Amino acid sequence: MKRTLTRCLLALSIAGVATAAHSETTLRMSHFWPGASAINKDIFEAWAKTIEEESNGELRVQNFPSQTLSKADDTYEATVKGIADIGITAQGYTAGRFPLSQIVELPGVAESAPEGACIMQTLYNEGHFGDEYKDSHVLFMFTTGPGYIHTRETDVQTPKDLEGLRIRRPTAVAGNMLENMGAQPVGMPAPDIYTSMQRGVIDGLSFPWEGMKVFRLNELANYHTQVPFYTLVFVATMNEKTYQRLTPEQQAVIDANSGMKWAENAGEVFHRIDQAGKQEAEEAGHTIRVIENPLENSDWQAPLKQGIETYLSGLEERGLDQAHDVYQAALDAKQACTAQSS
C-alpha cells in the first residue's frame, strides 16, 4: 500500500512538472535596432518584461535585436511564416505591401513621434488599413518623428541643392519625395547606412534625429536640413498561429499589452531620442537649417505637394479608391491626437 501511494505521488509530481513545463511558452522576437539602443531597451525589452511578469512566467520573450533572427526587410514575412513569433519592422521595408498604412508617412500628417503613433494606432483601430495585416496578429503601431535630410558635405537650403546627390531613402514613398526634390534616392535598411556613407556610396540620408543617434550617423553627417517631408511607420506584430496556440489567459496578457498603450509608449521613447539626437549634432557644431511649414514654403511646397498627390492618385489607380479618404482620416486623427495630448 505504501509503495503504491509513493508511486502515485511520484506520478503526480512528474505530471505537475510536465504541465508547468508545457505552460511555459517562449516567443522569439525579431527586430533591427541595436541591442544597446534605448529603442530596444525601453520599448521591446520593457514590453517583454511586462509580458513575462503579467503571465507569471508562463510567457517568456527571447529577444533577437540587430537583425540576428531576420533581416529588416524580411521581418514581416518571417513573422507570418513563423520564423519569428513577434516581429517589429517598418512597413516601407516591404515595398507595396502596406500602401494605405504608408499614407501616414506623407508630409504634414505627423509632426512628432507621439503624434504619429497616436495617428497610426487610431487609423488601425478604426479599420482604415483594410486587409493589409490579415496574415498576422497586430500588437501595436508607432512611428518615428519627422524625417529630415542629413549630408556629409552639402549645405542643403533649397531643393536645388539636392540635385544629383545620392540620398538614402527609407521607403519608396520617401524616395518619391526625394526624387521630386532632385535627389537620387538609394534604398537600404537602416543598419547598412553607416558603412555606405563612410565609403562614399551615398552622399547623405533621410532620417529622423532619433536614427541619427541610434545608428551613430551624427559622426558622419555635418549638415542637417530640418524639412519634415516624411515619417517612417512601424508595426509590432505576432504570428497568428502562435497567438491562437496560447491559452485564453496568455492571450489576455498579450491583448492587455497591445494597442494604444504601447503605441504611446513607443512614441514617447522615440521623441526623447529625437531630442537627444539633435542636441548631439548641436554640441558637435554641425550646421542645422530649419525649414518651417514646408508645405507653405515657396521653395519646398511644390515638390512636397506634388509628392502627396502623386502617391494618393497612384493608390487610386491601383484600385484603392479610399486613398484620399484615408489621408483625410489621418489629418482628422491628427487633430484628435493633438487635442488629447494638450
Side-chain angles (χ1 to χ4, degrees), residues 80-222:
V80 170
K81 291 180 177 178
I83 297 169
D85 296 300
I86 297 166
I88 305 102
T89 191
Q91 284 88 324
Y93 285 2
T94 312
R97 188 163 185 167
F98 307 99
L100 295 174
S101 299
Q102 288 190 260
I103 287 173
V104 179
E105 294 184 357
L106 296 174
V109 174
E111 296 182 16
S112 69
E115 187 174 85
C118 179
I119 294 169
M120 195 71 187
Q121 190 66 48
T122 297
L123 294 184
Y124 176 76
N125 291 349
E126 293 177 351
H128 289 289
F129 299 147
D131 294 332
E132 290 186 352
Y133 304 93
K134 65 181 180 180
D135 49 2
S136 72
H137 183 85
V138 171
L139 300 175
F140 56 95
M141 305 271 191
F142 57 105
T143 76
T144 62
Y148 304 126
I149 295 168
H150 313 270
T151 54
R152 292 198 72 169
E153 299 174 356
T154 305
D155 183 1
V156 176
Q157 299 185 50
T158 71
K160 289 184 179 180
D161 298 321
L162 284 166
E163 289 183 6
L165 294 186
R166 295 159 297 173
I167 304 294
R168 180 266 179 181
R169 53 86 171 166
T171 67
V173 178
N176 289 337
M177 295 286 176
L178 286 166
E179 213 163 17
N180 288 338
M181 293 186 280
Q184 296 179 15
V186 180
M188 68 181 67
D192 299 340
I193 300 173
Y194 190 97
T195 301
S196 295
M197 196 163 172
Q198 191 177 45
R199 293 176 178 174
V201 175
I202 54 176
D203 302 301
L205 66 147
S206 54
F207 234 18
W209 282 114
E210 160 270 325
M212 297 301 291
K213 182 170 180 61
V214 169
F215 294 97
R216 299 171 38 229
L217 294 163
N218 279 327
E219 296 176 8
L220 301 177
N222 298 300

Side-chain angles (χ1 to χ4, degrees), residues 48-61:
K49 183 179 179 182
T50 301
I51 294 298
E52 291 178 8
E53 289 176 350
E54 293 187 6
S55 68
N56 296 317
E58 287 189 13
L59 292 176
R60 299 190 180 278
V61 181

Side-chain angles (χ1 to χ4, degrees), residues 74-87 136 237-239:
D74 292 329
T75 295
Y76 188 84
E77 189 63 27
T79 305
V80 170
K81 291 180 177 178
I83 297 169
D85 296 300
I86 297 166
S136 72
T237 197
M238 190 171 186
N239 177 272

Side-chain angles (χ1 to χ4, degrees), residues 244-306:
Q244 294 300 335
R245 281 197 295 264
L246 301 180
T247 67
E249 293 77 15
Q250 291 169 342
Q251 288 181 352
V253 172
I254 297 294
D255 294 346
N257 291 282
S258 298
M260 191 63 78
K261 174 182 177 181
W262 279 91
E264 290 178 342
N265 178 67
E268 291 298 334
V269 172
F270 270 81
H271 185 60
R272 187 182 76 234
I273 304 172
D274 269 337
Q275 293 174 316
K278 183 176 182 180
Q279 183 178 351
E280 186 177 75
E282 289 173 337
E283 291 175 351
H286 295 178
T287 299
I288 301 174
R289 305 287 182 186
V290 179
I291 311 299
E292 301 284 0
N293 301 315
L295 290 176
E296 306 303 324
N297 182 284
S298 58
D299 290 320
W300 295 91
Q301 64 175 233
L304 296 184
K305 287 184 176 181
Q306 177 189 342

